Amino acid sequence: MAKYNPKKGLIQKAAIARQQIGIDDVAYRMLLERRYGVTSSKDLNIKQLHDLIHNVYIGEYGWEPKPSKNKKPTPTQKKGKGYQGEFVEINPKDPLAKQKRYALALAALLGWKLSGLDTRCKRQFGVEKFIWITKQSHMQTLIKDMQVRCKKRGIDYEPNA
């Protein structure tokens, strides 16, 4: 199974933005040299790639990502497939039911879609769907990460007692 490489994804996003904005190769290399001291996006670190996308392309050029014209719909985008209305039923007999409901609440606070939660679980734990998680350690890892993300964003994630 290939590991997800966030830097590669950011390089691709930057290349798409550059193409959609219409920056030619010479101007692009001058921009990189002036702002970061490099001539290729491959030489940028993740922080610099975020800066390029958010502060330069979005902030200065006003770029807004456009959906691909030839991208096939994901199963959740097809009619009658995936989650309907972002709703999932948790089996009350599931030993992890309480934790799964809490994780779903955290995901909602973070603005995550259920399909994104499934993707995360597939990449991190090798489980196709979030609701199919059966290992306590996987739930603990997922919840702890979401709590850290909430804390960083200043979101109150503590359940009311």
Side-chain angles (χ1 to χ4, degrees):
M1 177 189 243
K3 267 194 141 175
Y4 175 69
N5 183 346
K7 182 175 177 180
K8 184 178 178 183
L10 289 171
I11 290 171
Q12 290 172 339
K13 188 173 185 176
I16 291 167
R18 178 182 147 209
Q19 178 189 16
Q20 289 179 352
I21 293 169
I23 301 173
D24 68 21
D25 195 51
V26 174
Y28 176 67
R29 300 212 183 274
M30 286 174 53
L31 167 71
L32 291 178
E33 178 69 39
R34 184 179 69 245
R35 192 161 178 124
Y36 308 106
V38 298
T39 57
S40 172
S41 60
K42 292 178 183 176
D43 297 328
L44 297 173
N45 61 36
I46 291 178
K47 186 176 179 181
Q48 291 169 326
L49 284 164
H50 275 285
D51 178 71
L52 177 66
I53 293 166
H54 295 281
N55 295 333
V56 177
Y57 292 154
I58 295 173
E60 293 178 20
Y61 288 94
W63 175 68
E64 290 182 24
K66 298 175 188 171
S68 174
K69 293 176 185 170
N70 59 359
K71 183 178 177 184
K72 294 179 181 174
T74 63
T76 57
Q77 293 170 327
K78 293 178 183 176
K79 188 174 182 178
K81 301 281 184 184
Y83 297 117
Q84 299 298 311
E86 290 294 303
F87 173 80
V88 62
E89 187 174 338
I90 305 289
N91 184 343
K93 293 181 181 179
D94 184 342
L96 300 175
K98 188 174 181 179
Q99 288 177 302
K100 287 181 181 178
R101 283 191 291 275
Y102 180 57
L104 288 170
L106 289 172
L109 286 173
L110 290 165
W112 292 3
K113 291 185 176 183
L114 292 172
S115 57
L117 196 55
D118 283 346
T119 302
R120 162 95 190 259
C121 291
K122 183 176 181 180
R123 282 187 183 145
Q124 190 168 5
F125 309 122
V127 178
E128 287 289 324
K129 296 229 178 246
F130 162 75
I131 57 172
W132 295 348
I133 291 178
T134 58
K135 293 186 179 179
Q136 178 74 33
S137 61
H138 291 174
M139 283 305 303
Q140 288 174 331
T141 301
L142 183 64
I143 288 172
K144 184 65 178 169
D145 176 65
M146 291 195 300
Q147 287 175 335
V148 168
R149 290 170 188 258
C150 283
K151 190 173 184 178
K152 283 182 180 177
R153 293 186 189 178
I155 299 170
D156 180 21
Y157 61 87
E158 293 295 328
N160 296 332

